[in-house]
Amino acid sequence: MGRLKKARFHLMKDLGAPALMGLAALKKKKRPVKPKPQFGPLLRSSGRLREIMTRHYLLSRYAEGAKPVAWVTSGAPVEMLRPFDFYTVYPENHGALCGAQKMGAELCSAAEERGYHQDLCSYARIDLGVCFSGKTPVGRLPKPDLLFASNNICQTVMYWFEVLAYHYKIPIIIFDTPYNFEEIKEADIAYMVNQFKDMIPVLERISGKVFREEKFQEIIRIARETSFTWGEVLATMKADPAPMTIFDAFIHLAPVVSLRGLPVALDYYRLLLSELKDRVDKGIGALVHERKRLMWDNIAMWYKVRDFSNLFAEHGMNFVTATYTNAWAETTPHLKEGSPFESMAKAYSLIILNNNLNHRLSLMERLIREFRVDGVVIHSARSCKPYSVGQYDLKRLLMERLGLPSVVIEADIADPRAYSEEQAKTRLEAFFEVME
Amino acid sequence: MMRFEPPSRREYIRDQKMRQGRRVFGVFPAQYPKEILWALNILPVEIWDPPVKTTRADAHLQPYICSVVRSGLELVLQGKCDDLDGFLFPHTCDSIQNLASIVNDYLGIEKPCYFFYHPKAHYGPSSRAYYLEQLRNFASTLGKRWGAVEPEELERSVSQGQQTASLVREAYDLRAAGTLGATNEEFYGVIRQGEFLHPDDFLPLMRNFLETSKGRSGSGSPVILSGVLPNPPELLRLLDELHVRVVEDDLLNCSRRLIVPPVSAADPFEVLTEQYFLMPPCSTREGSIQARLEYLFEKVERSGAKGVIFWIVKFCEPELFGVPQLVEEIKKKGLATLVLDSELHQGPSGQIRTRIEAFVEMMS
């Protein structure tokens, strides 16, 4: 890593980024945002979240050449990279950002022009579109030195990251988590532990840093605390009225995904939790009149978050839980400093998408019970087959077992071209009628 | 009538059960240790492209799920698997993974369902140790219900698997050298009978095929076929008609799992493990694009192919991701490429025919 680039990175980290962001904040103050009448007051913590994520992407521009840069999938055990001081970038998080900024279609098209089929995952197409076009709402993404993927969320990330590995001619590490068709087996855990051990010399070589057990254990502790606190944040939505909506949670999810294992994420969730608890104590809801409580299944439709938030709020319906946001809190208790590899193997392979559909049904039933859910909105996401295949049966089973109404919206996570406003409107109108 | 016409699957399965006393498993794509099933006197019958009209599966699967998964589920839902004794789902892709869970967890089917996971991480000592353990666990799990695997039976099965691989390899070698007198349709018609015939029947079929087919191949443009499976037969017939010779393939259900090099070891589980890690690169296993390219170029080298056709089942993510980079590199070598995606059983349309004709012209 070049000395000049390191110095520039540290200069930006300590002086440049705070100064630039201070200026941006001043500009922002001139244009205060008023919430719509159906919503409660805005979350104060959102400003801090914006600062953290802006700083993260801003600094990423200067990380290239100053620090080893890794592109990481959302379910990968990033704790393995932290002891080696990798600057981590999450293409899925970035894809969500592009989707929310309505750049999904343009970036997907850039990949499609190079032969990547429209049927492929839109996060992947957006990411490849960014590689080919250089366009991104965050200014620039640093070129990676390493790709780190885990198939605990899908097999797609392996194919996608293999394409990146070939494109950039850089090493790739795949953390392979055997799918739990039934219960997890000792052989599976041993296999995953061995993979962790095999990674260490590779990471040492790429980063030029030596693995230190103590540092690693501290990172595991911070990661566990962060996920645990995230779980507490989500649990505040059990309150009636819920102090935030799941659409807020989709946005506040970013640090636990992208900055897990770093103190900044933990500090942030402590701040957010404190604010939410305060709102619960004072009976402040995300909606002024919360009449119905809903569950969301699958990844968000990033280009529709605001529209859906408004639409459901107009009907007095609040999403109080989601299988998606819960995924980063679900397996937290498994993480243990004393047995980092074994505990990480369990924490990362027992997540919702690496488990059979009975597990998913049980999890949904538990969340429905705990959060007192009245109905479920199921996003059938074209991009995400492991999340979507089985949803039609889930809908049927939720009705048969709990008498719970639900609706399936056929759409996509970040490519708005796969979303039909008319079809969604028809289905949602029918759903709203049933819910009344 | 085509030479080596396959027997009716239904009748063959009935015969295997009645006369041979075999159990029969429906096996979804793609890679699994069939030798362990044979050793337990279980006949694996693979479910790749059953000729069923899809009606019921649509209630369980979204429109963007591939027709391999859709038609496989349809077969189950229509009760056409009622004669089977169990199902096996190898871990091939996200869709098959969740299909396995739908069938096992949600459909209330009273047949045992088994799952076989093979390593996806880049191959090393950990994945090798894990695969070996997976094989032993698989045998042990099956043994609990169907009787323990006898070592001598497994040795016999492994030997039959190796004989099969040897004959398939020979067929591919002859075809690449232009010394196998069989049309595309005949070649794949025979090779694919291994998807359901017991080796006691498939081995003599292969020997007979090789004996009666050695000779000059017909003339025509030599190509490599890449993708999932050579379906529908109309495509192969069209290629025959247009004098396109498939001299090699990179198909998931053909060479990527059938071309297994000879391996020797005292322990049959070790043999199966070695064979697995020597299989050609594949998008559904350890699938680096560099390795796949090198494999394709080796095939070009030995067969003299002038072009590569990527015949992709619509919505197949494992295949679709690698195609643009493979195409780009293949073109740099001066070879023609053609990418087609289609549903199973959707015969070549007029447009596809025109594109294939244009592709043939490019090669000549």
Side-chain angles (χ1 to χ4, degrees):
Chain A
M1 303 290 151
R3 280 188 189 170
L4 197 66
K5 287 187 173 174
K6 276 186 185 172
R8 192 178 63 160
F9 177 80
H10 286 289
L11 190 71
M12 280 309 294
K13 186 177 161 215
D14 300 331
L15 297 171
L20 283 173
M21 287 166 58
L23 279 173
L26 277 175
K27 270 188 187 173
K28 194 87 185 170
K29 276 181 187 167
K30 290 176 188 166
R31 295 183 279 114
V33 182
K34 265 192 178 175
K36 293 204 167 204
Q38 57 270 31
F39 290 100
L42 292 172
L43 284 166
R44 291 191 310 276
S45 310
S46 299
R48 176 66 186 136
L49 173 70
R50 206 174 301 117
E51 275 173 25
I52 291 169
M53 296 314 294
T54 306
R55 185 173 186 272
H56 174 65
Y57 278 112
L58 179 66
L59 281 181
S60 78
R61 295 186 215 171
Y62 301 92
E64 196 176 316
K67 284 180 146 219
V69 175
W71 285 14
V72 186
T73 62
S74 63
V78 70
E79 294 82 358
M80 286 301 295
L81 303 186
R82 301 281 182 226
F84 303 96
D85 206 23
F86 276 90
Y87 201 95
T88 53
V89 171
Y90 282 73
E92 289 157 78
N93 175 263
H94 179 253
L97 188 69
C98 295
Q101 302 268 347
K102 312 281 169 83
M103 286 182 70
E106 180 190 356
L107 291 166
C108 283
S109 298
E112 288 156 20
E113 280 164 20
R114 299 283 191 114
Y116 293 90
H117 205 287
Q118 200 169 347
D119 293 332
L120 294 174
C121 164
S122 58
Y123 278 169
R125 277 179 292 137
I126 285 174
D127 189 41
L128 295 169
V130 171
C131 294
F132 301 139
S133 70
K135 289 182 185 169
T136 155
V138 300
R140 195 172 72 86
L141 284 182
K143 182 181 169 297
D145 302 297
L146 170 73
L147 298 160
F148 187 38
S150 176
N151 57 347
N152 56 353
I153 50 166
C154 60
Q155 308 307 301
T156 304
V157 292
M158 295 194 308
Y159 320 137
W160 164 12
F161 273 45
E162 288 288 2
V163 171
L164 292 173
Y166 189 78
H167 177 77
Y168 286 116
K169 304 285 185 275
I170 53 169
I172 175 171
I173 294 176
I174 290 173
F175 176 57
D176 183 15
T177 54
Y179 178 71
N180 299 307
F181 183 66
E182 290 166 332
E183 295 297 307
I184 191 168
K185 297 179 181 70
E186 283 304 317
D188 298 335
I189 295 171
Y191 171 47
M192 289 183 275
V193 166
N194 284 335
Q195 289 181 68
F196 287 134
K197 290 177 180 170
D198 292 345
M199 279 175 209
I200 291 174
V202 179
L203 294 170
E204 285 182 330
R205 196 178 64 240
I206 296 168
S207 68
K209 289 194 162 55
V210 176
F211 177 75
R212 295 198 192 286
E213 185 90 27
E214 273 178 30
K215 190 175 179 183
F216 182 50
Q217 289 187 354
E218 175 61 6
I219 287 160
I220 294 279
R221 186 191 66 75
I222 294 172
R224 188 191 58 231
E225 287 296 305
T226 307
S227 296
F228 183 75
T229 313
W230 171 245
E232 287 189 297
V233 162
L234 295 177
T236 61
M237 286 194 283
K238 288 178 185 172
D240 190 359
M244 70 171 179
T245 82
I246 214 65
F247 298 111
D248 296 317
F250 286 158
I251 309 300
H252 290 271
L253 180 69
V256 74
V257 177
S258 311
L259 302 167
R260 197 171 56 256
L262 298 175
V264 65
L266 177 56
D267 293 344
Y268 175 67
Y269 288 121
R270 284 179 176 156
L271 176 79
L272 177 63
L273 181 62
S274 161
E275 184 184 356
L276 291 169
K277 280 183 171 172
D278 184 54
R279 285 170 77 127
V280 171
D281 289 345
K282 292 174 179 162
I284 300 171
L287 301 193
V288 176
H289 300 294
E290 180 186 283
R291 294 191 307 111
K292 299 282 180 185
R293 297 163 64 84
L294 305 178
M295 170 192 259
W296 179 274
D297 184 50
N298 213 325
I299 303 170
M301 296 153 58
W302 294 109
Y303 47 90
K304 276 280 155 195
V305 165
R306 181 168 296 176
D307 291 349
F308 268 43
S309 176
N310 290 338
L311 176 68
F312 282 89
E314 280 165 16
H315 287 79
M317 294 181 188
N318 190 17
F319 285 90
V320 294
T321 184
T323 52
Y324 174 56
T325 46
N326 183 66
W328 282 269
E330 186 190 349
T331 58
T332 315
H334 290 294
L335 281 180
K336 291 186 179 84
E337 296 100 297
S339 54
F341 294 144
E342 287 80 0
S343 67
M344 280 208 302
K346 285 182 188 164
Y348 280 95
S349 65
L350 287 169
I351 63 166
I352 181 170
L353 291 182
N354 203 47
N355 261 313
N356 58 66
L357 293 170
N358 260 345
H359 169 274
R360 173 132 29 130
L361 181 60
S362 304
L363 173 74
M364 288 174 84
E365 286 182 336
R366 178 171 67 76
L367 293 175
I368 286 164
R369 206 171 46 246
E370 289 180 2
F371 288 80
R372 300 184 312 287
V373 166
D374 303 306
V376 184
V377 174
I378 297 169
H379 170 206
S380 161
R382 199 179 171 87
S383 281
C384 191
K385 293 183 174 71
Y387 223 141
S388 304
V389 177
Q391 283 179 319
Y392 291 0
D393 286 280
L394 276 167
K395 177 179 162 55
R396 172 178 58 82
L397 290 164
L398 288 175
M399 178 49 86
E400 283 175 11
R401 290 161 67 119
L402 305 176
L404 202 71
S406 57
V407 61
V408 175
I409 304 293
E410 301 287 349
D412 187 55
I413 53 180
D415 185 350
R417 295 171 300 173
Y419 171 74
S420 160
E421 189 79 51
E422 280 309 304
Q423 191 203 54
K425 193 177 161 199
T426 309
R427 289 193 179 183
L428 285 174
E429 277 171 1
F431 178 68
F432 292 144
E433 268 183 39
V434 171
M435 290 298 292
E436 295 304 329
Chain B
M1 187 169 162
M2 202 176 71
R3 292 190 302 158
F4 307 104
E5 194 72 28
S8 145
R9 275 196 190 211
R10 187 166 286 272
E11 282 169 25
Y12 184 74
I13 288 171
R14 195 172 298 140
D15 180 72
Q16 289 287 300
K17 288 176 81 113
M18 298 286 288
R19 294 206 310 161
Q20 308 290 345
R22 290 190 173 119
R23 310 277 185 177
V24 181
F25 273 20
V27 183
F28 283 78
Q31 167 56 33
Y32 63 100
K34 56 174 70 171
E35 293 85 349
I36 292 175
L37 296 173
W38 293 338
L40 287 165
N41 209 27
I42 295 170
L43 177 73
V45 173
E46 298 177 6
I47 302 172
W48 286 88
D49 50 352
V52 286
K53 188 170 162 37
T54 307
T55 52
R56 297 183 193 182
D58 296 346
H60 301 267
L61 299 171
Q62 286 92 337
Y64 48 81
I65 304 305
C66 82
S67 44
V68 171
V69 169
R70 188 175 300 279
S71 59
L73 178 60
E74 185 69 33
L75 198 74
V76 176
L77 294 169
Q78 286 187 12
K80 292 187 174 172
C81 294
D82 289 354
D83 292 346
L84 303 182
D85 299 288
F87 291 105
L88 172 62
F89 297 88
H91 190 268
T92 301
C93 63
D94 291 321
S95 298
I96 288 180
Q97 166 193 293
N98 281 29
L99 171 71
S101 196
I102 289 176
V103 173
N104 190 48
D105 298 329
Y106 287 171
L107 294 186
I109 286 174
E110 289 175 0
K111 286 184 194 300
C113 294
Y114 299 93
F115 194 77
F116 185 73
Y117 192 87
H118 42 77
K120 309 290 189 299
H122 288 188
Y123 296 159
S126 305
S127 39
R128 195 190 176 286
Y130 179 66
Y131 189 75
L132 183 59
E133 187 70 14
Q134 284 295 89
L135 292 177
R136 293 190 200 282
N137 283 341
F138 184 56
S140 153
T141 304
L142 288 171
K144 283 176 194 157
R145 183 167 184 137
W146 309 102
V149 176
E150 298 297 335
E152 56 275 17
E153 283 302 318
L154 184 58
E155 277 170 28
R156 182 171 174 270
S157 296
V158 169
S159 166
Q160 283 195 312
Q162 290 188 321
Q163 288 171 55
T164 305
S166 166
L167 293 173
V168 171
R169 230 177 16 247
E170 187 182 346
Y172 271 84
D173 288 344
L174 291 170
R175 196 154 173 81
T179 52
L180 190 77
T183 63
N184 299 316
E185 192 182 5
E186 279 173 340
F187 180 77
Y188 287 106
V190 170
I191 295 289
R192 292 199 61 195
Q193 289 186 46
E195 291 168 18
F196 68 99
L197 292 184
H198 191 275
D200 289 352
D201 300 315
F202 187 59
L203 283 168
L205 170 76
M206 278 301 294
R207 288 191 191 105
N208 187 11
F209 173 61
L210 288 171
E211 272 170 27
T212 57
S213 305
K214 279 180 186 164
R216 272 191 62 76
S217 303
S219 60
S221 306
V223 301
I224 294 171
L225 196 57
S226 180
V228 178
L229 72 165
N231 177 288
E234 291 87 344
L235 167 74
L236 298 172
R237 228 170 280 148
L238 175 62
L239 295 178
D240 283 326
E241 193 188 313
L242 296 173
H243 303 291
V244 175
R245 276 192 307 126
V246 179
V247 287
E248 265 289 2
D249 75 54
D250 169 46
L251 294 166
L252 171 60
N253 90 328
C254 292
S255 79
R256 279 194 224 161
R257 60 186 196 129
L258 301 179
I259 305 290
V260 185
V263 165
S264 62
D267 180 352
F269 288 110
E270 291 276 356
V271 173
L272 295 178
T273 304
E274 288 304 313
Q275 284 178 351
Y276 176 79
F277 288 99
L278 289 170
M279 279 181 180
C282 178
S283 59
T284 70
R285 299 193 297 270
E286 198 252 16
S288 94
I289 289 174
Q290 184 61 40
R292 289 196 61 199
L293 262 177
E294 286 166 12
Y295 175 66
L296 276 170
F297 287 147
E298 265 176 42
K299 285 186 171 292
V300 169
E301 188 73 25
R302 79 185 204 115
S303 67
K306 290 183 177 174
V308 180
I309 299 176
F310 293 90
W311 180 256
I312 314 287
V313 176
K314 198 162 169 48
F315 304 117
C316 179
E317 275 209 334
E319 288 301 296
L320 283 170
F321 261 105
V323 166
Q325 284 169 326
L326 295 176
V327 165
E328 189 181 333
E329 298 299 331
I330 291 165
K331 277 185 176 165
K332 282 184 194 164
K333 294 266 181 187
L335 296 163
T337 59
L338 178 65
V339 182
L340 300 164
D341 72 326
S342 163
E343 300 279 6
L344 281 177
H345 309 307
Q346 184 185 323
S349 61
Q351 189 201 31
I352 286 178
R353 185 188 176 96
T354 308
R355 290 183 64 195
I356 294 175
E357 283 170 348
F359 170 75
V360 172
E361 270 179 34
M362 273 167 63
M363 286 188 295
S364 54

